[in-house]
Amino acid sequence: MPPLPTAHSTEIHHAAHLLEAGKLVAIPTETVYGLAANALSSSAVAEIFRVKNRPTFDPLIVHLAETQDLEKYVQQVPPLAYVLARAFWPGPLTLVLPRRALIPDLVTAGLPTVGIRVPRHPLTRALLQRLDFPLAAPSANPFGYVSPTTADHVRQQLGDKIDFILDGGPCEVGLESTIIAFEKEKPRVLRLGGIALEALQEVVGMVEVQSHSSSQPQAPGMLSSHYAPGPPVVLIESRDEIALYQEKTPPSQIGFIGFQASSPLLPALHQHILSPSGHLSEAAARLFAALRALDQPDIRLILAEVFPEVGLGRAINDRLRRAAAKRT
Ligand code: TXA
Ligand code: MG
């Protein structure tokens, strides 16, 4: 159990009070900031959809204080779900499981299953422990936009629409949770995220990854066009491609997202090199802030290089591909 963050007890108290009154609060998690409401109240949850401008066919993730509360909200939990929960909770893993009736239809978009996770950010854990209900929380961004990884990101877009932002500093992981569903007790990854595929496979053996497709409207977090900033994003396999884009767009209007080294072809100002030391976890933590920073009027094109397709690099590439799919 993490030490109770006493320095923040006033803020936690305030957040709890608002949530008990059916209001929305933005909460820090280790992945991204969430826009939280009482998961057992349809009217509170309806506010999430309204504020995010989110279609009601996109189900929400429910956040619990403790793994031991799991069976209050879901049933028929396969043994491997417990193995995964034991290995990765609290942490960036969401398990999709058959829901119990007390979870409102709105939370699950009418699906018979619900996505559940136990987050590990100490402020949100302390908040959840105070409440006698779980929190439904999607990422705290307008629907389809890049997820927020700081309280400022939330403030900039939703500040005037929500009652309170619990500021827990920048998110440690910076990518949304890995989502796993079960088919006949066999796990399958629905969304790559903060737990690397290799880490999952170490615990449960081979795990299939569902390739996303726009033909599955029940889960837009898996749609190809999502997580997108304003300017078009183009993925490049090789840095030689930068020269081609420079012929059409002035270099001063091109933003660049790279892994370890900057490009001499572009001005330094709009280059975001995510981890000069080559750590994919550091790159992941900085990715969304870089995409946001490049969403500005003087940038007309964002070039992003493909990251190594291992560990968190897979989830980074997944988010970049979806950001790039926005306009194609
Ligand atoms: O890290 C995270 O998961 C963050 C933090 C706040 O916990 N939350 C997050 O929520 O990314 P959101 O709403 O942006 O993405 C939730 C996605 C949905 O779009 C959908 O793809 C999937 O979770 N999902 C939720 N419930 C599901 C269900 N019953 N079946 C299939 N997919 C589901
Ligand atoms: Mg989201």
Side-chain angles (χ1 to χ4, degrees), residues 7 17 82 178 195 205 210 213 220 230 251 263 274 283 294 301 310 318:
H17 185 73
Y82 280 111
T178 297
I195 300 284
Q210 172 160 311
S213 105
S263 163
L274 301 186
L294 291 171
L301 174 66
V310 293
D318 172 83

Side-chain angles (χ1 to χ4, degrees), residues 234-247:
V234 172
L235 252 80
I236 56 172
E237 299 282 342
S238 143
R239 291 187 169 209
D240 298 341
E241 293 174 50
I242 295 173
L244 297 176
Y245 289 98
Q246 277 183 328
E247 287 166 16

Side-chain angles (χ1 to χ4, degrees), residues 31 54 58-59 61 63 96 113 117 138-139 176-177 179 191 219 221:
T31 60
R54 178 178 177 113
D58 189 3
I61 293 172
H63 299 71
V96 173
T113 53
R117 83 179 188 97
S139 51
E176 302 83 354
S177 59
I179 303 181
R191 178 177 76 182

Side-chain angles (χ1 to χ4, degrees), residues 32 52 54 58 138-141 144-145 147 176 191 221 226-227:
V32 300
K52 272 195 63 130
R54 178 178 177 113
D58 189 3
S139 51
N141 50 279
Y145 195 76
S147 296
E176 302 83 354
R191 178 177 76 182
H226 217 68
Y227 309 107

Side-chain angles (χ1 to χ4, degrees), residues 183-261:
E183 214 169 290
K184 299 199 183 97
E185 310 213 334
K186 217 178 119 208
R188 191 159 47 102
V189 174
L190 298 187
R191 178 177 76 182
L192 293 163
I195 300 284
L197 191 59
E198 293 85 344
L200 290 173
Q201 289 179 341
E202 238 168 69
V203 174
V204 292
M206 263 310 283
V207 182
E208 213 180 291
V209 181
Q210 172 160 311
S211 58
H212 54 81
S213 105
S214 47
S215 65
Q216 284 170 317
Q218 82 271 24
M222 296 163 3
L223 288 187
S224 46
S225 67
H226 217 68
Y227 309 107
V233 177
V234 172
L235 252 80
I236 56 172
E237 299 282 342
S238 143
R239 291 187 169 209
D240 298 341
E241 293 174 50
I242 295 173
L244 297 176
Y245 289 98
Q246 277 183 328
E247 287 166 16
K248 284 182 241 147
T249 308
S252 63
Q253 296 180 351
I254 298 179
F256 180 67
I257 293 179
F259 184 22
Q260 288 186 261

